[in-house]
Amino acid sequence: MSDNSDSPTGEKNTMEHYIDGKLKLEHVEPTTHRGESITHRNMSVATDGGRQYSTGGARRMSEWDAMRIAKEGGVEIDEEIELLEIELRENPVKHGFFSPVIKFQNPAHFTWLLVAFASMGGLLSGIDQSLISGANLFMPQSLHLDTSQVSLVASGVPLGAIGGALLLGPVNEAVGRRMAIITSLILYTIGAALEAGAINFGMMVAGRVILGLGVGLEGGTVPIYVAESVARKYRGNLVSLYQFNIALGEVFGYVVAAIFVNVKSGSWRYMLGSSLVFSTIMLIGILFMPESPRFLMHKGRTLEAFNVWKRIRGTDLQENREEFFVMRHAVTAEFENKKSRSGSFAWLDFFTVPRARRSIVYANIMIFLGQFTGINAIMYYMSTLLNQVGFNAKQAVFMSLVGGGSLLLGTIPAIFYMERFGRRFWACAMLPGFFIGLIIIGCSYLIDNKTHTGAAEGVYITGLILYEGFFGSYACLTWVIPAEVYPTYLRSYGMETSDVTLFFCSWLVTYFFADMQRAMSRIGLTLGFYGGIAVLGWFYQLLFMPETKNKTLEEIDVLFSQPTSELVRQNLSGVVENCSHLVHGRWGRVFKPSPESPLPEAHKDSRVGPVGKDVQG
């Protein structure tokens, strides 16, 4: 923001904004001045099926006005919070049998508990990937499956997950984030029971597809649920816990497979049935978790949203009060703008509203890069691939722990450092690392594993460790980015598209893995196809990836309102600067923690939301 004139508050108020993709300067007067009071409307309470929500309160204002007031520390924030406190005391929110309440004196403890149970969904997804890898060594012979049937069984979960992802938007809009997760766990439990008790090919595929429905529904809902509930400074780290749990689940799965590998009869049934233990624990835990406050606000249930906010975030810290204030007015403005377009279809905004269009393109390209660099194909067929380079069946199961463990260890740096260094730096630094791993894996195929078995196995394992380790850190972005870039009123639908993209790409690389390996050769698939996409993805990230570090979800709305050409210009400038530092040996400047990117400002009268047509490009 550039400032040229003084306001009565001592703030300068010439603002940069974009209109039709062009940068303009305009002198604006702030809506309110610091310390001034605002006129309140009468408070009233409406009920919806026994639930109370506010229909009154402070006057309506745009998202931009709310963000400006929060930045200036206006008294309006305290007044609104106080009014909601009074209303909540007079009209306490009721809780039913299926929504029990637990409270902590420190709301931060509740946040950690919420994230822990929600992120267990990643554990279920990871466990399935590694369990089927071990089961594939014994199940085909037991059920008399041919190669194409084995491929369909392995890809049954990603195929079912596409259906689960298609349910994500409608289910989330109808019953909310929490109930969507509970529904996914019920589906997962039914599917796991069917596959463990399967007596033929049809029953096994049915179980895998139903289990996939649960994985698809849960995989897109959990990151949204966490992103909408936690503080912005921890959002990237805590959403990354979902990927950590996927990796942890894969390790657990390999451990379970190793435990049952010596069972003489039906070892694969014990492997696949063990996931029921984890789904039951998560189901019990999630029953005690509240609904996302942003979803409640999205549905007009302001009082319930405030009640949940007090439990999981609290209102003692000023930043939490400011974030709730901005969230309330941002979501209300989106809802009002959406109502003004009666009869329109929300999905069309992904094509007609530039801010929404940018987010869906960006999020789904990042998902594509995460899948078409081969991770799920390698995870689902890890035991088989290890068997190909010289390990016997038992050794392959035990050595799979090396790959799964590397993926797990790779996610740990992302949890602690992604928020410090930034999303953009993290993506651009991690992708070359797992590309080098692919090169080494490809080189291992050049070694004759019959005459030089030890060398082939050693080179392959080295490449696998590098690939899985760096990908573990990179993969966190494929959950963090889609969960935070969509506007609130489109977040369910946007995450649905990302979830469908994720599992459709996963199904493609898994189902066609054997055919692609035969057609391209092992080295051609690993290095030519997966490695080539990694190289193209790296250049895409350098040019088109924005930095969303330490921004509220409402501030990200404004970030995506700038034209793509402006983002590319900023990124190119940063690339040139970093190249100069590298050439002159100033390594510390290249690898230092990323500063927060400046927030591109929108016109104060523009609408960042359903009808925000004023920003093009």
Side-chain angles (χ1 to χ4, degrees):
M1 175 162 55
S2 59
D3 301 319
N4 297 314
S5 60
D6 293 331
S7 72
T9 62
E11 300 253 349
K12 313 230 178 168
N13 50 358
T14 298
M15 295 168 52
E16 295 178 355
H17 59 282
Y18 290 100
I19 296 180
D20 296 328
K22 296 179 180 178
L23 182 66
K24 296 184 181 294
L25 297 175
E26 181 173 335
H27 180 79
V28 296
E29 294 296 335
T31 308
T32 59
H33 300 302
R34 186 166 186 158
E36 289 185 359
S37 179
I38 58 175
T39 304
H40 297 281
R41 298 182 295 129
N42 290 331
M43 302 293 294
S44 60
V45 179
T47 58
D48 178 17
R51 300 179 184 272
Q52 301 94 358
Y53 60 93
S54 171
T55 60
R59 65 172 177 81
R60 298 198 183 281
M61 64 181 72
S62 69
E63 177 181 358
W64 180 248
D65 283 336
M67 290 174 67
R68 186 177 182 86
I69 290 171
K71 182 180 178 181
E72 295 174 349
V75 71
E76 298 89 342
I77 299 171
D78 294 333
E79 290 183 345
E80 283 201 21
I81 296 295
E82 182 58 32
L83 285 170
L84 285 168
E85 291 277 14
I86 295 171
E87 186 178 359
L88 187 60
R89 286 195 296 269
E90 294 176 352
N91 303 277
V93 175
K94 297 178 181 178
H95 299 277
F97 178 78
F98 291 103
S99 55
V101 177
I102 55 175
K103 293 182 179 179
F104 290 92
Q105 188 172 358
N106 184 349
H109 296 160
F110 201 131
T111 301
W112 285 103
L113 187 66
L114 180 150
V115 171
F117 275 112
S119 297
M120 277 189 70
L123 199 71
L124 300 180
S125 179
I127 284 172
D128 171 73
Q129 288 183 19
S130 51
L131 287 179
I132 195 63
S133 174
N136 273 339
L137 294 172
F138 310 100
M139 178 188 60
Q141 294 86 354
S142 177
L143 297 182
H144 310 292
L145 308 180
D146 58 32
T147 303
S148 62
Q149 289 175 325
V150 171
S151 293
L152 188 56
V153 168
S155 60
V157 166
L159 184 62
I162 296 172
L166 290 171
L167 293 174
L168 193 150
V171 172
N172 270 264
E173 286 297 307
V175 299
R177 320 297 190 215
R178 175 177 171 272
M179 281 304 301
I181 295 173
I182 291 173
T183 303
S184 72
L185 292 172
I186 294 172
L187 289 170
Y188 189 100
T189 301
I190 294 171
L194 280 174
E195 65 175 4
I199 57 175
N200 54 40
F201 170 68
M203 188 172 176
M204 172 58 72
V205 170
R208 298 285 293 165
V209 171
I210 293 173
L211 189 150
L213 286 171
V215 170
L217 180 57
E218 164 266 317
T221 304
V222 168
I224 295 177
Y225 182 57
V226 175
E228 290 184 339
S229 302
V230 303
R232 61 181 177 180
K233 62 183 177 181
Y234 302 124
R235 188 176 62 244
N237 297 343
L238 294 182
V239 175
S240 296
L241 279 175
Y242 185 77
Q243 175 59 34
F244 175 82
N245 274 293
I246 290 178
L248 183 62
E250 287 167 353
V251 172
F252 282 173
Y254 291 130
V255 170
V256 170
I259 290 172
F260 292 114
V261 72
N262 289 318
V263 176
K264 294 183 178 180
S265 177
S267 60
W268 62 270
R269 296 186 186 277
Y270 293 103
M271 294 178 188
L272 297 178
S274 63
S275 61
L276 291 169
V277 176
F278 300 97
S279 63
T280 303
I281 293 172
M282 182 177 174
L283 178 60
I284 294 172
I286 209 71
L287 288 173
F288 291 90
M289 298 299 107
E291 182 54 85
S292 154
R294 278 182 171 85
F295 173 80
L296 293 171
M297 193 74 75
H298 168 59
K299 291 299 183 180
R301 290 148 59 177
T302 304
L303 197 60
E304 284 186 77
F306 181 67
N307 185 54
V308 171
W309 190 268
K310 288 186 65 179
R311 289 167 59 196
I312 66 174
R313 298 286 298 279
T315 55
D316 292 337
L317 295 177
Q318 185 62 23
E319 64 183 73
N320 289 340
R321 300 165 74 88
E322 291 171 357
E323 186 175 345
F324 183 87
F325 175 81
V326 174
M327 176 186 73
R328 180 184 187 184
H329 289 285
V331 175
T332 301
E334 285 181 354
F335 181 73
E336 291 298 320
N337 291 337
K338 185 178 178 181
K339 275 203 313 183
S340 68
R341 304 179 317 132
S342 57
S344 65
F345 190 41
W347 278 94
L348 291 177
D349 286 0
F350 285 122
F351 300 96
T352 59
V353 179
R355 180 264 178 270
R357 186 169 63 242
R358 293 186 194 104
S359 64
I360 196 171
V361 170
Y362 168 56
N364 285 290
I365 287 178
M366 294 299 292
I367 291 287
F368 173 85
L369 292 176
Q371 290 302 310
F372 267 76
T373 45
I375 185 63
N376 273 345
I378 291 174
M379 295 306 298
Y380 273 92
Y381 289 96
M382 186 176 293
S383 295
T384 303
L385 290 170
L386 288 166
N387 189 245
Q388 288 177 355
V389 295
F391 294 99
N392 63 38
K394 286 186 179 180
Q395 288 174 333
V397 171
F398 283 101
M399 290 306 294
S400 295
L401 281 167
V402 175
S406 300
L407 188 73
L408 174 64
L409 293 175
T411 62
I412 294 174
I415 293 171
F416 290 102
Y417 294 109
M418 182 195 293
E419 204 65 53
R420 182 182 179 193
F421 286 91
R423 324 290 198 245
R424 178 176 160 78
F425 173 88
W426 204 257
C428 294
M430 295 302 115
L431 199 150
F434 70 77
F435 174 69
I436 293 171
L438 287 171
I439 293 176
I440 297 174
I441 289 174
C443 291
S444 73
Y445 295 136
L446 299 174
I447 304 172
D448 189 342
N449 63 5
K450 293 181 180 177
T451 58
H452 301 88
T453 305
E457 292 173 349
V459 173
Y460 184 89
I461 289 295
T462 301
L464 184 67
I465 290 171
L466 281 174
Y467 173 76
E468 297 278 356
F470 278 98
F471 194 92
S473 280
Y474 182 85
C476 295
L477 291 164
T478 63
W479 300 108
V480 172
I481 288 170
E484 67 185 11
V485 299
Y486 295 112
T488 300
Y489 80 106
L490 287 174
R491 191 163 292 131
S492 296
Y493 303 111
M495 199 64 185
E496 180 177 336
T497 66
S498 295
D499 219 24
V500 169
T501 302
L502 171 72
F503 291 111
F504 181 65
C505 291
S506 176
W507 176 77
L508 285 176
V509 299
T510 304
Y511 183 71
F512 293 104
F513 176 77
D515 293 332
M516 291 174 72
Q517 194 179 62
R518 281 195 300 269
M520 299 181 186
S521 78
R522 290 183 298 175
I523 190 171
L525 176 60
T526 302
L527 189 53
F529 187 76
Y530 297 152
I533 289 176
V535 171
L536 292 175
W538 189 66
F539 283 105
Y540 169 81
Q541 290 170 173
L542 286 176
L543 292 175
F544 296 101
M545 187 173 185
E547 181 55 75
T548 54
K549 167 189 172 181
N550 202 26
K551 287 181 171 56
T552 66
L553 299 181
E554 288 70 37
E555 288 172 342
I556 292 174
D557 271 348
V558 178
L559 177 66
F560 274 85
S561 295
Q562 67 177 328
T564 303
S565 58
E566 175 63 18
L567 173 64
V568 172
R569 186 191 65 78
Q570 294 171 4
N571 286 344
L572 279 174
S573 176
V575 169
V576 170
E577 182 182 353
N578 283 328
C579 287
S580 174
H581 291 326
L582 286 172
V583 169
H584 292 89
R586 296 188 290 265
W587 299 87
R589 296 190 182 183
V590 177
F591 298 103
K592 68 180 180 181
S594 169
E596 288 185 48
S597 59
L599 191 64
E601 302 200 25
H603 191 283
K604 78 182 185 74
D605 294 324
S606 71
R607 292 168 290 190
V608 183
V611 292
K613 308 280 189 178
D614 51 325
V615 181
Q616 304 293 329

